[in-house]
């Protein structure tokens, strides 16, 4: 789903001037679930593909692709080339869609590092296929989403990770002091495609839409110049994949609801809250059987556990103990923050100090927009001091020699006699950047001018 709506004039023959708005997601600070769990209603129309190809729907899909940008797929087409391409080729593409004969191109495999170690496989569709997936998503999601469980928060309009964390906190406050933390092993790579298509067929009667979705699943993956067939899994990286993943896991949600459990699910992260460790072990064993036999998936035994919520991480957060649990940062979250700041301020980067400060500030603003939701403000003052100390150390290393350090200190308001006194000092970098003169040159009040925010809770 796109998150912004840039203003532009399109020259595509099937589009008018862009007006109106694409679907938006409720802001992260809103804690009121917007989705409701309505009974499942199949899409009974036989003209669903005509809705996909409607002008207004295509306008929104094109706007989303342009706003999200993204890398080229296997054909090398960039986002800015999509408009001219559609201007020439759209009549042919539209005829193929309406006839049910459109064939997507294979996805490009990209490996990205996972926060906890290892790698995650992404499949990047071509720009054209992303455009068509967006158009299909915008027709299917308004019909499917209301039928999903209110306990599901991932990739849904009006729902957010913060709402999921807040709901988990409420369960703990209500006395469910044990959590069954379920990790599905390589979920996107192991989805049973036949079972998924069976679920879709219960909701969609237009054979052309079913054929198109199956074609996206069967498109294959380009690896080392060869196309590998995909017999299972949903390519993680396409616009349609999050909706399909929620459809797969809707069966898990319904089973947990049938059993009367208190649970929260965000994509493939699922936490079930119970009152005792013994109950948690029973739930974990029974869910393992259900996931294996019914969903044809696997629970990762090494990463799944029954534990106190304070000992586990959920969407980057953890919880304090006691009668009134509070949201706090998980230890892994702090570790990843420090690793990223160290990477941005390393000596070998070869960028100016001012640019380094801007890049650190940009990262911290995005980090705070999400993790500022925690309720442990005492953590932030020492963290702010450490980040600023890292930046002062980076500046000291960049100034390198005594003459340059003397000039930089004087330029930043340090008296000449004090600058001369410390410019050639022989100390470790960390001790040198702790000198009072460095605090005068780079004071606490000046960091926001450089673009470095002060981390704090909301």
């Amino acid at each position: 789903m796109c998150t912004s709506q840039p203003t532009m004039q399109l020259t595509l023959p099937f589009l008018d001037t862009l007006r109106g708005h694409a679907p938006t997601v409720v802001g992260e600070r809103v804690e009121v679930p917007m989705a409701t769990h309505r009974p499942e209603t199949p899409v009974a129309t036989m003209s669903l593909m005509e809705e996909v190809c409607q002008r207004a729907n295509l306008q929104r899909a094109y706007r989303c692709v342009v706003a999200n940008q993204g890398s080229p797929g296997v054909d090398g087409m960039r986002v800015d080339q999509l408009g001219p391409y559609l201007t020439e080729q759209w009549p042919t593409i539209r005829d193929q869609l309406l006839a049910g004969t459109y064939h997507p191109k294979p996805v490009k495999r990209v490996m990205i590092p996972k926060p906890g170690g290892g790698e995650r496989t992404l499949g990047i569709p071509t720009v054209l296929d992303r455009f068509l997936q967006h158009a299909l998503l915008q027709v299917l999601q308004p019909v499917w989403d209301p039928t999903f469980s209110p306990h599901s928060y991932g990739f849904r309009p009006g729902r957010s990770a913060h709402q999921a964390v807040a709901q988990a906190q409420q369960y703990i406050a209500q006395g469910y002091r044990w959590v069954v933390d379920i990790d599905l092993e390589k979920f996107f790579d192991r989805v049973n495609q036949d079972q998924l298509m069976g679920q879709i067929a219960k909701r969609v009667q237009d054979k052309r839409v079913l054929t198109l979705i199956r074609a996206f699943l069967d498109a294959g993956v380009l690896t080392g110049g060869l196309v590998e067939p995909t017999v299972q899994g949903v390519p993680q990286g396409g616009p349609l994949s999050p909706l399909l993943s929620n459809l797969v896991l809707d069966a898990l949600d319904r089973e947990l609801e049938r059993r009367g459990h208190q649970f929260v699910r965000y994509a493939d992260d699922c936490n079930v809250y119970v009152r005792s460790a013994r109950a948690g072990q029973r739930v974990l064993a029974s869910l393992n059987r259900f996931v294996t036999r019914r969903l044809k998936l696997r629970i990762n035994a090494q990463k799944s556990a029954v534990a106190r919520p304070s000992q586990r991480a959920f969407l980057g957060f953890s919880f304090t103990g006691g009668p009134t649990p509070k949201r706090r940062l998980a230890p892994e979250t702090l570790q990843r923050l420090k690793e990223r700041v160290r990477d941005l301020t390393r000596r070998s980067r070869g960028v100016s100090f001012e640019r380094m400060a801007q890049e650190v500030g940009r990262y911290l603003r995005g980090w705070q927009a999400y993790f500022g939701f925690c309720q442990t403000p005492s953590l932030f003052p020492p963290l702010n001091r450490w980040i600023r100390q890292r930046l002062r150390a980076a500046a000291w290393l960049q100034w390198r020699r005594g003459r340059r350090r003397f000039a930089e200190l004087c330029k930043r308001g340090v008296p000449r006699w004090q600058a001369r006194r410390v410019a050639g000092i022989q100390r470790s970098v960390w001790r040198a950047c702790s000198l009072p003169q460095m605090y005068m040159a780079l004071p606490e009040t000046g960091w926001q001018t450089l673009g470095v925010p002060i981390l704090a809770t909301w």
Side-chain angles (χ1 to χ4, degrees):
M1 179 177 296
C2 63
T3 56
S4 61
Q5 301 81 36
T7 302
M8 64 187 75
Q9 181 77 27
L10 299 180
T11 59
L12 305 182
F14 57 92
L15 299 180
D16 292 329
T17 303
L18 285 179
R19 291 179 183 172
H21 302 279
T24 56
V25 175
V26 174
E28 292 287 64
R29 302 188 187 190
V30 178
E31 299 303 330
V32 180
M34 301 298 293
T36 57
H37 193 186
R38 295 211 305 257
E40 184 175 327
T41 304
V43 179
T45 177
M46 296 301 294
S47 59
L48 194 60
M49 187 60 78
E50 280 75 12
E51 292 185 38
V52 173
C53 294
Q54 283 182 356
R55 176 177 298 177
N57 188 54
L58 296 172
Q59 287 176 340
R60 293 164 56 198
Y62 183 87
R63 185 163 54 230
C64 285
V65 172
V66 173
N68 292 339
Q69 291 298 308
S71 302
V74 296
D75 60 355
M77 182 189 296
R78 303 187 308 272
V79 170
D80 60 350
Q81 297 174 316
L82 177 62
Y85 179 82
L86 288 174
T87 299
E88 180 180 350
Q89 299 293 331
W90 175 247
T92 301
I93 297 171
R94 184 178 186 276
D95 289 344
Q96 292 175 351
L97 292 172
L98 295 179
T101 60
Y102 178 80
H103 296 289
K105 289 184 172 60
V107 300
K108 181 169 68 175
R109 176 174 290 171
V110 176
M111 306 301 292
I112 61 172
K114 296 175 68 174
E119 290 183 320
R120 176 184 288 113
T121 303
L122 287 185
I124 302 178
T126 64
V127 174
L128 174 60
D129 288 340
R130 294 206 297 267
F131 166 70
L132 296 178
Q133 286 192 36
H134 265 296
L136 187 58
L137 173 69
Q138 291 165 176
V139 172
L140 296 179
Q141 188 166 51
V143 181
W144 291 7
D145 190 85
T147 70
F148 293 153
S149 169
H151 299 272
S152 167
Y153 291 85
F155 309 123
R156 300 183 61 187
R159 315 213 105 197
S160 70
H162 286 176
Q163 293 175 356
V165 173
Q167 182 61 69
Q169 183 182 11
Q170 290 183 22
Y171 288 144
I172 299 169
Q174 291 168 7
Y176 297 91
R177 298 305 177 98
W178 290 85
V179 60
V180 184
D181 189 354
I182 301 171
D183 182 86
L184 297 177
E185 186 175 311
K186 296 183 178 179
F187 166 71
F188 283 91
D189 297 333
R190 290 182 171 165
V191 169
N192 186 292
Q193 292 184 356
D194 293 334
Q195 195 172 52
L196 171 60
M197 289 305 303
Q199 291 296 319
I200 297 174
K202 294 178 182 178
R203 298 166 178 255
V204 175
Q205 293 186 355
D206 192 326
K207 303 285 186 191
R208 298 165 299 177
V209 172
L210 294 174
T211 301
L212 180 60
I213 295 176
R214 186 79 201 205
F216 281 127
L217 295 176
D218 293 341
V221 179
L222 184 65
T223 305
L226 299 175
V227 177
E228 296 180 1
T230 50
V231 296
Q232 65 177 2
V234 176
Q236 189 176 2
L240 199 58
S241 299
L243 180 64
L244 298 182
S245 69
N246 273 331
L247 181 59
V248 171
L249 293 176
D250 187 56
L252 175 61
D253 296 339
R254 292 177 184 272
E255 178 65 16
L256 290 170
E257 288 179 345
R258 187 186 67 80
R259 299 181 185 186
H261 288 309
Q262 310 297 329
F263 71 98
V264 179
R265 183 178 66 79
Y266 190 94
D268 56 338
D269 290 331
C270 184
N271 279 5
V272 184
Y273 293 89
V274 295
R275 294 187 182 275
S276 69
R278 188 173 180 180
Q281 294 294 344
R282 288 198 303 268
V283 170
L284 180 59
S286 63
L287 288 181
N288 192 17
R289 292 191 295 270
F290 176 84
V291 168
T292 302
R293 297 173 183 174
R294 176 76 179 275
L295 302 183
K296 311 301 181 185
L297 298 170
R298 297 181 188 174
I299 288 181
N300 191 322
Q302 283 70 39
K303 295 184 179 180
S304 301
V306 177
R308 295 287 189 181
S310 59
Q311 299 170 343
R312 306 296 292 179
F314 181 54
L315 302 178
F317 294 91
S318 185
F319 303 95
T320 62
T324 307
K326 292 183 179 181
R327 300 183 295 269
R328 67 179 183 185
L329 300 181
E332 309 91 274
T333 299
L334 282 176
Q335 181 180 351
R336 288 197 295 268
L337 168 67
K338 291 188 174 183
E339 288 175 354
R340 182 58 176 158
V341 172
R342 288 190 184 101
D343 183 59
L344 290 172
T345 58
R346 70 182 187 275
R347 183 177 186 176
S348 60
R349 288 203 59 210
V351 300
S352 67
F353 171 71
E354 288 72 17
R355 179 179 170 184
M356 185 182 293
Q358 290 174 1
E359 292 179 357
V360 170
R362 189 181 306 117
Y363 169 73
L364 292 178
R365 284 190 293 274
W367 187 91
Q368 182 173 1
Y370 181 76
F371 289 107
F373 189 56
C374 77
Q375 297 172 312
T376 51
S378 61
L379 175 71
F380 286 92
L383 192 57
N384 283 318
R385 289 193 295 270
W386 179 83
I387 293 170
R388 282 147 179 71
Q389 194 77 338
R390 284 287 308 181
L391 287 167
R392 289 190 183 97
W396 184 261
L397 286 170
Q398 282 197 2
W399 297 343
R400 299 187 66 177
R401 301 184 183 279
R403 183 175 297 178
R404 170 78 182 277
R405 288 170 180 169
F406 173 77
E408 292 288 346
L409 290 171
C410 291
K411 185 174 70 175
R412 287 169 167 77
V414 179
R416 292 177 63 87
W417 67 272
Q418 293 192 40
R420 186 178 298 109
R421 183 177 176 183
V422 302
I425 196 168
Q426 298 297 321
R427 290 190 180 183
S428 68
V429 175
W430 200 254
R431 291 184 64 190
C433 66
S434 301
L435 293 169
Q437 288 79 9
M438 285 297 291
Y439 280 82
M440 293 173 62
L442 297 170
E444 293 295 328
T445 56
W447 289 110
Q448 291 189 346
T449 304
L450 289 170
V452 182
I454 299 175
L455 296 181
T457 56
W458 289 351

